[in-house]
Amino acid sequence: MSKPRDGRHRDLFLPALCEIIDMGHPLVRLAQEIDWSFVERRFGAVHHAGVGQPPLPVRLMAGLLILKHMHSLSDEALCARWVENPYFQFFCGEETFRHRLSFDRSSLTHWRQRLGEERLSALLQESLSVAHRSGAIEGKDLERVVVDTTVQEKAIAHPTDARLLHRAIVKLGALARKNGLALRQSYVRLAKRAAIMVGRYRHAKQFKRANRQLKFLRTRLGRLMRDIRRKTAGNAGLEERFAGLLSLSMRLLHQKHRQRGPKVYSLHAPEVECIGKGKAHKPYEFGCKVSVATPATKPRGGQFVLHAKALHGNPFDGHTLGPVVAEMESITGVEVKRIHVDRGYRGHNHPNRLRIFVTGQVRHTTRAIKREMQRRAAVEPVIGHLKADHRMDRNPLKGTEGDRSNAVLAAAGYNFHLLLRWFAAIWRAFIQTLFIGPAIPAADKEKPRLRLQTGIAHDDAQMNG
């Protein structure tokens, strides 16, 4: 497959999309501003010449990924809305309106897995490029940044010992039935009752009885594992199929409440880590740490995300600053002069320590730097929007690669959402200036609201000129 197939062509018997939609719509203007050739060059590296059906068009899949995280949609909801929304289809490069999907829902999963974090970062880079070309962000906004970390939670149930032991027994029994392995006893019914009773005893503060039920669950899980090992011994195929689940079950069987090091918090997502950020309402979060960087200034288009990266292993915040700033400079192409962080970054590993300003720092600060340090908290609402509106709250993607991809896509979706608002404000200001501008009295021209609208209209004229 030397190049992607592209069956998007104008049907002579159907009207073109550009004739039935509003070409001044913000989503249309955003699609016209994006450099799709740059995205195709970055995504095209996953194509390999050979036999088989060519892949789907790059613009179609890139547009779907942007729309998914821009509007916080699941794959199923995205496909349903794509069929009924002509603006979504125009954004993805369609020429005429399609009444049924031209792709399968699973194609989104396959493309995400093939692209990975490195190539998906092209969407974040292109969002910043569009913002700079349209005047939403300036070069000086990229020189002074704020860096902070948050937790990207995984879509798992709250882990408890009783629940994890019960799930291990159920999964081992299901895998044994699937492979035709006759067990001496499955313990499914007894394990379910024991897991229920643990919760009831703990609620009644009868901890000795709860611990007896936990010991019962551990004993049955150990019996089940030994039974499976006896009956798969000598069969290389069966041993390979059971190896992963048996290894996780063994770790789960022997882990203690206060042990140091990695623990198993989910059987279907063993990469999940327990992270405590000192929050009173949520002492522990289960997922991975994510670094987020935003401008320390006030860009005209909003607080864009300059960099987002998932960090596994629960590293110390200060040890992540050097690599994060280096990657951010490679994405933006601008050298960072000032970096504002909170006190969790004390003892950082950035090579130029005079460029780092920690909250509460007094030495080596000027009046301008102190004003910027007051803007460090601007990253907090950005993190809140990433979680609440752009699918970073409960990550459903599989594995560590899914964590990295979701962090980058959430940042790109947030930036494109800001750009959508930016183009809507420009178009609204242009219309108001076109029809209302000549009739504005001279006394009203000094109002801040009208000066802002005139400035946006002026930028729009320069951009289109």
Side-chain angles (χ1 to χ4, degrees), residues 10 14-25 28 32 86-87 89-91 93-97:
R10 180 173 178 180
L14 293 176
L17 277 176
C18 59
E19 298 176 358
I20 62 175
I21 63 175
D22 178 15
M23 297 304 291
H25 192 276
V28 175
Q32 294 171 346
Y87 291 98
Q89 297 189 16
F90 181 88
F91 187 81
E94 297 294 338
E95 295 288 341
T96 57
F97 186 77

Side-chain angles (χ1 to χ4, degrees), residues 170-376:
V170 171
K171 282 181 173 291
L172 284 172
L175 187 60
R177 288 194 301 272
K178 182 179 179 180
N179 290 276
L181 203 65
L183 299 175
R184 185 181 63 177
Q185 189 174 349
S186 66
Y187 304 108
V188 173
R189 180 178 57 84
L190 297 176
K192 180 178 179 179
R193 183 183 182 280
I196 293 173
M197 295 308 297
V198 169
R200 292 180 177 177
Y201 286 142
R202 289 198 180 278
H203 179 71
K205 301 188 185 302
Q206 300 175 3
F207 299 110
K208 289 185 178 179
R209 290 181 173 179
N211 290 335
R212 280 199 295 269
Q213 295 297 324
L214 277 177
K215 184 178 179 181
F216 177 87
L217 284 170
R218 286 194 174 93
T219 303
R220 268 54 186 181
L221 178 59
R223 287 185 185 179
L224 187 60
M225 291 169 60
R226 290 190 294 271
D227 190 18
I228 290 175
R229 284 200 180 97
R230 282 194 300 267
K231 294 180 177 178
T232 58
N235 191 329
L238 286 178
E239 288 179 348
E240 183 179 359
R241 294 173 201 167
F242 281 90
L245 189 53
L246 284 176
S247 175
L248 285 176
S249 301
M250 181 60 69
R251 289 175 55 190
L252 177 62
L253 190 64
H254 294 288
Q255 69 185 15
K256 302 300 181 182
H257 177 58
R258 298 188 182 277
Q259 76 174 33
R260 304 289 292 180
K263 295 174 65 175
V264 178
Y265 297 102
S266 173
L267 292 174
H268 75 273
E271 71 279 358
V272 168
E273 303 152 3
C274 180
I275 303 172
K277 299 286 285 185
K279 301 176 183 177
H281 65 284
K282 190 181 292 186
Y284 300 103
E285 296 173 285
F286 300 93
C288 70
K289 190 173 286 189
V290 175
S291 174
V292 179
T294 63
T297 56
K298 297 181 181 179
R300 301 182 66 189
Q303 294 296 130
F304 289 88
V305 176
L306 306 180
H307 181 265
K309 184 177 180 63
L311 309 166
H312 290 94
N314 193 9
F316 168 59
D317 289 354
H319 294 167
T320 66
L321 188 60
V324 163
V325 173
E327 287 188 17
M328 180 170 53
E329 291 177 343
S330 65
I331 289 176
T332 61
V334 178
E335 184 180 4
V336 180
K337 296 181 179 179
R338 294 176 193 164
I339 305 167
H340 299 276
V341 295
D342 59 14
R343 294 182 180 179
Y345 283 84
R346 287 177 295 186
H348 58 81
N349 60 350
H350 193 272
N352 195 334
R353 306 186 69 86
L354 296 178
R355 295 185 178 182
I356 311 301
F357 297 93
V358 183
T359 301
Q361 178 178 336
V362 178
R363 300 178 62 183
H364 307 293
T365 58
T366 62
R367 187 173 299 177
I369 293 175
K370 288 180 180 179
R371 285 197 301 268
E372 288 181 6
M373 291 173 67
Q374 295 177 353
R375 289 277 303 163
R376 192 216 64 83

Side-chain angles (χ1 to χ4, degrees), residues 157 406 465:
N406 191 71

